[in-house]
């Protein structure tokens, strides 16, 4: 099972994958979505890199074409690949007789608390792929926050990783870079809610105004990305 699982991962076009033991997150999953996701003992976190130069280009925050290209790249191109990968993995797990629920890469279902169907960062963190930074982004060891995620919740008996250690240290570059003042500067804590470190409403409202003034119209989705751009863990292109 484990080696076949690895083959599916190798062929599905993702850059990162990890298996999370969800037991530390069960209460939070219950609170967010009832038993639908809390019943799963594990989740597979799938990560796809965002193109380095596309992130670099949004440092020029006023360039309309680059802003549009960034939004297209992350929401249409990268998310599509993640959703296809999650579908492939779900098919494999179901064929083996296990439950599998693919959670799409980007999905806000509640504009009251800006939450999605089920969390991606919890699974990515518990699987060992990275930690939740001051930006509330998942910061990976390999590519910093320049990665997007999809998640497949499952009961398959896959080998789980260990949660990754937080390596933000005294850095606050994302806090300084955020034009909306959306981050409190506090470090992420497992026993506290996201509001402790990040205000999604402030981020969203900034982006709504920004898109209107820059693009002259409402555009679905999109973040300004300066928190992703500023993080030193993603700032260097690692050549093979
Ligand atoms: S996307 Fe922009 S506005 Fe939102 S938190 Fe990141 S830096 Fe701040
Ligand atoms: S910019 Fe610094 S504080 Fe923010 S997530 Fe990255 S390492 Fe952590």
């Amino acid at each position: 099972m484990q080696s076949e699982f690895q083959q599916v991962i190798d062929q599905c076009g993702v850059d990162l994958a990890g298996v999370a033991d969800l037991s530390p997150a069960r209460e939070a999953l219950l609170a967010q979505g009832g038993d639908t996701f809390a019943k799963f003992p594990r989740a597979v976190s799938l990560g796809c890199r965002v193109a380095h130069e596309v992130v670099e280009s949004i440092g020029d925050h006023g360039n309309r074409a680059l802003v549009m290209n960034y939004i297209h790249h992350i929401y249409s191109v990268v998310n599509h690949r993640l959703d296809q990968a999650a579908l492939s993995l779900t098919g494999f797990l179901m064929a083996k007789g296990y439950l599998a629920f693919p959670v799409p890469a980007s999905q806000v279902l509640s504009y009251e608390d800006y939450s999605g169907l089920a969390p991606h960062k919890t699974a990515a963190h518990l699987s060992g792929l990275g930690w939740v930074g001051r930006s509330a982004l998942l910061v990976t060891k390999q590519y910093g926050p320049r990665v997007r995620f999809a998640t497949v919740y499952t009961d398959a008996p896959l080998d789980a990783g260990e949660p990754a250690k937080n390596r933000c240290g005294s850095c606050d570059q994302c806090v300084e870079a955020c034009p909306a003042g959306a981050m409190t500067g506090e470090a992420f804590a497992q026993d506290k809610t996201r509001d402790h470190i990040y205000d999604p409403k402030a981020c969203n409202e900034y982006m709504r105004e920004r898109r209107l003034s820059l693009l002259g119209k409402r555009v679905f989705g999109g973040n300004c990305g300066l928190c992703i751009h500023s993080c030193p863990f993603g700032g260097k292109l690692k050549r093979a």
Side-chain angles (χ1 to χ4, degrees):
M1 172 73 184
Q2 194 69 34
S3 64
E4 284 180 79
F5 165 72
Q6 194 55 53
Q7 275 179 11
V8 174
I9 293 296
D10 291 345
Q11 290 166 5
C12 73
V14 296
D15 299 299
L16 298 172
V19 178
D21 171 357
L22 293 176
S23 41
R26 184 169 157 72
E27 292 305 316
L29 289 170
L30 267 175
Q32 184 169 339
D35 201 40
T36 306
F37 294 98
K39 74 182 178 201
F40 292 109
R42 275 168 291 282
V44 182
S45 178
L46 303 170
C48 228
R49 286 181 80 177
V50 177
H52 185 82
E53 286 303 311
V54 172
V55 180
E56 288 298 295
S57 74
I58 58 170
D60 180 1
H61 200 41
N63 186 312
R64 180 182 184 278
L66 293 176
V67 171
M68 287 297 282
N69 181 60
Y70 174 73
I71 291 171
H72 171 74
H73 179 67
I74 62 173
Y75 285 95
S76 299
V77 180
V78 178
N79 282 4
H80 177 71
R81 175 176 285 198
L82 280 166
D83 289 346
Q84 293 303 309
L87 185 62
S88 297
L89 178 59
T90 298
F92 164 75
L93 294 169
M94 287 195 304
K96 291 284 178 190
Y98 297 109
L99 301 177
F101 194 129
V103 176
S106 207
Q107 201 181 45
V108 173
L109 296 179
S110 165
Y111 282 93
E112 281 175 19
D113 61 359
Y114 296 89
S115 62
L117 195 57
H120 295 303
K121 282 178 271 191
T122 301
H125 167 59
L126 292 175
S127 74
L129 291 183
W131 67 95
V132 181
R134 281 196 171 82
S135 54
L137 296 165
L138 199 286
V139 186
T140 66
K141 292 174 265 189
Q142 295 93 330
Y143 313 121
R146 298 178 181 211
V147 180
R148 296 185 66 78
F149 293 93
T151 310
V152 178
Y153 285 75
T154 184
D155 63 350
L158 298 163
D159 298 339
E162 293 288 326
K165 196 165 169 273
N166 191 311
R167 293 169 61 191
C168 283
S170 59
C171 174
D172 67 351
Q173 291 189 37
C174 52
V175 183
E176 292 295 318
C178 177
M183 294 158 220
T184 65
E186 295 292 327
F188 170 76
Q190 194 77 53
D191 59 344
K192 296 196 171 139
T193 64
R194 180 179 60 176
D195 298 347
H196 179 64
I197 60 172
Y198 167 71
D199 177 359
K201 195 168 175 215
C203 169
N204 199 273
E205 282 179 356
Y206 169 78
M207 277 311 302
R208 196 173 52 218
E209 295 307 315
R210 184 77 188 145
R211 281 194 296 267
L212 268 175
S213 69
L214 193 60
L215 309 175
K217 62 177 180 179
R218 295 193 183 279
V219 175
F220 171 74
N223 54 59
C224 86
L226 292 179
C227 45
I228 296 171
H229 180 269
S230 66
C231 182
F233 283 94
K236 292 196 185 87
L237 181 63
K238 296 175 181 68
R239 296 181 192 274

